[in-house]
Amino acid sequence: MMELLWIDLADSLWHDWKGDGHAEDRLESREWQAAFLERNRLSAPVPASEEEVAELRRFRDELRGFSVRLAAGEAATEDMVHAINDQLAEQAVVRRAELEEGGSVRLSWTPAADSWRSVRAEAAADFARSLAEGLGSRIRLCDNGNCKWVFLDDTRNRSKRFCDDKLCGNLMKVRRFRERKKTET
Ligand SMILES: [Zn+2]
């Protein structure tokens, strides 16, 4: 499944999932910023200014807070919608009608400026889209307590517990196995 933009932003707070879970804020990393923009086909100045990083962090932490609540089974609330709208209000877009082959008309829009403000608005719109599509109840936090990544449970029976079964899933399996052996001996 393709990673959603808002989840990509939410997971910029990286934790040492194999070790003790210590956190590393990747928002501050120029390499992370460039890679994040590239994989989401967005553009903004790199490195982001201190103020831009602070604004991104504030919104990122909001998204993480909302994810925790949604993952716990809460429904969307007024403050979530407010936070989304605050971000959307900052975005200026340019709309364009384009004539396509066969005479159909397509309406497209692009951000008026390449900026981190637009990136935040895109992430907010993406989060809103997830909620509008009823995906709110599929938002999860990785069951590896040292990882804490946000992900969407795309399984039919909603049984996905780890951000990645091969990574966190396996690690936890190995840990459980070791615990069992320890109590057995
Ligand atoms: Zn994980």
Side-chain angles (χ1 to χ4, degrees):
M1 189 165 84
M2 211 199 86
E3 172 109 79
L4 294 174
L5 168 61
W6 76 266
I7 293 182
D8 199 353
L9 178 61
D11 288 341
S12 60
L13 185 62
W14 181 88
H15 293 84
D16 179 13
W17 59 275
K18 275 189 191 168
D20 61 3
H22 79 264
E24 180 184 304
D25 195 343
R26 298 201 155 159
L27 276 183
E28 291 159 16
S29 147
R30 180 189 289 238
E31 289 74 35
W32 183 89
Q33 291 169 10
F36 168 79
L37 291 173
E38 160 128 32
R39 66 179 171 260
N40 290 291
R41 289 182 296 277
L42 296 164
S43 43
V46 174
S49 72
E50 251 172 63
E51 298 79 55
E52 284 161 340
V53 169
E55 284 294 322
L56 277 167
R57 183 181 295 122
R58 201 182 58 75
F59 183 49
R60 192 265 320 274
D61 292 348
E62 245 172 358
L63 284 175
R64 291 192 61 88
F66 295 155
S67 298
V68 169
R69 286 160 48 188
L70 291 162
E74 255 189 57
T77 53
E78 200 70 48
D79 63 319
M80 293 185 195
V81 171
H82 273 302
I84 292 167
N85 286 335
D86 278 350
Q87 299 299 332
L88 292 179
E90 290 198 49
Q91 164 114 310
V93 298
V94 177
R95 290 182 190 280
R96 262 180 74 84
E98 286 161 19
L99 195 58
E100 296 198 302
E101 252 178 82
S104 59
V105 173
R106 195 176 81 112
L107 190 64
S108 73
W109 63 275
T110 48
D114 288 346
S115 66
W116 286 99
R117 179 180 294 202
S118 294
V119 169
R120 278 189 278 120
E122 287 299 309
D126 193 47
F127 179 58
R129 205 174 297 121
S130 286
L131 298 183
E133 288 171 358
L135 299 177
S137 63
R138 290 188 178 273
I139 294 170
R140 304 274 181 275
L141 262 77
C142 183
D143 242 13
N144 172 1
N146 289 334
C147 170
K148 304 189 179 90
W149 262 26
V150 176
F151 67 93
L152 278 188
D153 182 354
D154 55 355
T155 58
R156 190 194 292 252
N157 58 356
R158 305 188 176 218
S159 59
K160 196 164 152 71
R161 293 173 51 209
F162 301 104
C163 66
D164 188 319
D165 287 332
K166 288 198 190 72
L167 301 176
C168 281
N170 265 342
L171 182 74
M172 297 312 274
K173 216 189 284 173
V174 168
R175 276 194 195 157
R176 274 199 306 274
F177 180 75
R178 286 200 192 127
E179 292 279 307
R180 240 190 345 257
K181 280 209 124 168
K182 226 193 292 175
T183 49
E184 272 168 18
T185 52

